[in-house]
Amino acid sequence: MHDAVRLSAPIEVTGDDVERALFEQSTDELAVARVFDRLRGAPAERAAEALNHALEVDIFEVLAQGWARVPAVRSAVQRSALMEVPPALVNLGRHNIASTSRVVLDSSVAQSALPPLTLTLEIVADVLSATLAAREGRIELVALGEASVVARLKYKSVLVKEHATGVSGVLRDPFKRQPSAPDRQASVDIQI
Amino acid sequence: MRVQISWLLSATLLFGATAATAQSFPCASVAPEVRDRVREAGACRDATPGDAEPTDAAPASSTVTVRLSDGTVVRVPREISSITSDGRKRAAVDETAARAKVLPPPEPEASGDPAPAPQKVEVPDGSLAGAAGTTPVTAPPTAAAASSAPAPATDVAPAPAAAPVPASEPTAPPAPRGRPPIAFPANAALVLGAGVLLGLLFGALLMRQWLRRREPAADVIAAPPPLYQHQQPVETGAGDVSETGAAPEIRFAARREPGETTIVMAPLRDADQVAIEQASDHHA
């Protein structure tokens, strides 16, 4: 089931977005300003392609890392890891999960490396409800209520890209889960 | 090789200029207006007794004696007559010299008027022609004092009272002279030209050396500043781009570094915001 959890629309940037970010970077970095004209156009499009590969976010991992910070979930996972007990189900009400990560674009022109373009990716997921199961020290997603995701890509304080989407591929009703679909355990490290 | 040729040329010019300026000429051949200045500059030498009295027959045989209207007797080289045919003044001197050879020596007692003692101005070489040809040469002060109306030597007409040629004056054909009659202007022009050429040559050499020394520094200055050097090697991944041959190669690589994740629970609507229930295989 976890393999089916994904963003309804992936986070993507375009060449114009990259040019905007590079322009903002050129105001700070003289080396980028010198070659900014060379980076525009087709090179920026290719840079956007590279960034889009890095922006392929596994939304389940993002959500699981947030769920693991809930004390009830953490204790259930710890208990399932220590004892062979039946999986514990955890129902979470409405909550917001915010994740912040860095997306770094390394570029080189004529064998000379430019200062890396460091972007900040903020993902905010507004989850109406979630049903989790703790088994063998891991978190399993049983059901997920309505969830909306807003992704913001920033260069420092300058917004480069904002993307709003939803989460698809999850069961809304935990009682209608299909046994044929294999559940995937999230790899969340929890301090025991 | 070029430098060696340039130095050789410079040495040749310098030697030529030195040789040309080493030949001094008598100050008597210089115009009186500039004679003192030329003498002070060392460009001429005063007549010496050795110069006044030729010791060998060749110089003496190449001069003719001219008596001016004021009675001054001047010894003029013979070749003057051959090179001063274009000027009236030079022609007069030439004619005077020619007549001096033909006319018999006058008898001082014939006129009854005691003629003033002929004062000879001996010129050792033919440089007098240049001075005579360029500026009117006035009679020496002593001659001027003796004569009430001194006239320029070139204005001397073929007077019937031309000075007789002494018997002792030889009339042999003049020997060839290597130096042109107009010596001073030629030497000055030569020296000036040699100096200018040497100056230009040395200037060119100095400029060449300066440019050679400047080339490496100019290359360093003209080199574009290096781009930002990253400490870590650049990852080459899916973003590698190979531009066309003219455009520089531009490569991109992107990665995502995990950060923090926080969760904020909404305000509790009831006590069971987080409900944990123990599943059991039996219940399943």
Side-chain angles (χ1 to χ4, degrees):
Chain A
M1 175 182 175
H2 176 266
D3 293 337
V5 178
R6 62 185 184 276
L7 293 174
S8 300
I11 304 172
E12 290 182 345
V13 293
T14 62
D16 294 338
D17 300 331
V18 175
E19 286 188 15
R20 189 182 309 116
L22 290 173
F23 175 76
E24 296 295 335
Q25 186 190 18
S26 65
T27 59
D28 301 330
E29 303 285 352
L30 180 61
V32 178
R34 289 175 179 167
V35 296
F36 176 71
D37 290 338
R38 300 182 189 178
L39 299 176
R40 300 181 66 182
E45 294 288 344
R46 295 186 177 94
E49 292 179 4
L51 281 175
N52 289 335
H53 283 290
L55 290 175
E56 292 177 352
V57 177
D58 187 349
I59 189 64
F60 179 78
E61 288 187 2
V62 174
L63 295 175
Q65 289 176 0
W67 292 329
R69 295 184 180 274
V70 178
V73 176
R74 180 191 301 263
S75 60
V77 170
Q78 291 176 351
R79 192 166 47 250
S80 66
L82 296 175
M83 298 177 295
E84 292 185 357
V85 294
L89 297 178
V90 180
N91 293 320
L92 298 179
R94 184 165 186 164
H95 57 276
N96 289 329
I97 295 176
S99 172
T100 303
S101 59
R102 296 195 311 166
V103 178
V104 181
L105 175 66
D106 295 322
S107 45
S108 62
V109 177
Q111 305 298 329
S112 296
L114 295 176
L117 175 65
T118 302
L119 303 174
T120 302
L121 177 62
E122 294 179 358
I123 298 176
V124 178
D126 184 13
V127 181
L128 185 60
S129 63
T131 301
L132 309 177
R135 179 184 299 183
E136 297 177 357
R138 295 177 182 179
I139 295 177
E140 296 179 4
L141 178 61
V142 178
L144 184 67
E146 294 293 331
S148 62
V149 176
V150 176
R152 296 184 181 90
L153 193 63
K154 295 182 179 179
Y155 174 76
K156 293 186 176 178
S157 61
V158 178
L159 180 63
V160 177
K161 184 75 175 185
E162 184 172 7
H163 179 73
T165 184
V167 178
S168 61
V170 293
L171 291 175
R172 303 301 178 191
D173 187 354
F175 299 103
K176 293 182 180 178
R177 55 182 301 198
Q178 299 177 359
S180 58
D183 292 340
R184 175 188 165 186
Q185 297 171 340
S187 301
V188 179
D189 295 331
I190 298 177
Q191 297 296 332
I192 301 176
Chain B
M1 187 64 183
R2 288 184 177 179
V3 176
Q4 294 178 357
I5 294 174
S6 300
W7 280 109
L8 185 59
L9 181 60
S10 302
T12 304
L13 290 174
L14 183 62
F15 177 76
T18 305
T21 55
Q23 297 180 6
S24 61
F25 47 86
C27 296
S29 62
V30 182
E33 294 84 359
V34 297
R35 184 177 300 162
D36 294 336
R37 297 180 59 182
V38 173
R39 183 184 291 110
E40 291 176 359
C44 68
R45 58 183 175 85
D46 293 324
T48 59
D51 294 332
E53 296 179 5
T55 55
D56 54 345
S61 62
S62 63
T63 60
V64 294
T65 303
V66 178
R67 167 168 287 186
L68 305 180
S69 60
D70 55 353
T72 304
V73 178
V74 180
R75 290 173 60 185
V76 180
R78 180 173 295 278
E79 62 268 23
I80 291 177
S81 61
S82 62
I83 61 175
T84 57
S85 59
D86 55 341
R88 182 181 61 84
K89 297 177 181 180
R90 294 186 182 183
V93 174
D94 188 17
E95 188 176 358
T96 304
R99 291 186 179 182
K101 290 192 298 183
V102 178
L103 294 177
E107 296 178 357
E109 296 79 9
S111 59
D113 188 7
Q119 187 170 358
K120 295 182 179 179
V121 179
E122 297 180 354
V123 181
D125 53 14
S127 61
L128 177 61
T134 53
T135 58
V137 177
T138 58
T142 55
S147 175
S148 59
T154 55
D155 293 338
V156 174
V165 178
S168 62
E169 291 297 330
T171 58
R177 300 297 181 95
R179 186 149 51 101
I182 306 174
F184 175 68
N187 286 342
L190 185 60
V191 171
L192 185 62
V196 170
L197 286 177
L198 285 176
L200 290 176
L201 190 59
F202 283 117
L205 290 175
L206 289 176
M207 180 65 73
R208 178 189 177 87
Q209 295 296 329
W210 180 69
L211 289 177
R212 280 187 174 181
R213 274 189 247 110
R214 182 183 171 84
E215 280 178 357
D219 292 341
V220 172
I221 294 173
L227 296 176
Y228 176 81
Q229 298 295 331
H230 197 264
Q231 298 297 330
Q232 299 176 352
V234 178
E235 300 177 0
T236 56
D240 292 355
V241 175
S242 296
E243 295 291 328
T244 58
E249 185 180 9
I250 302 175
R251 294 175 179 272
F252 296 103
R255 65 182 185 279
R256 190 168 69 92
E257 299 175 353
E260 287 188 7
T261 302
T262 59
I263 183 170
V264 177
M265 303 301 296
L268 296 175
R269 289 183 298 181
D270 51 21
D272 295 332
Q273 180 68 27
V274 177
I276 303 176
E277 53 184 75
Q278 190 70 35
S280 172
D281 292 338
H282 300 286
H283 296 293

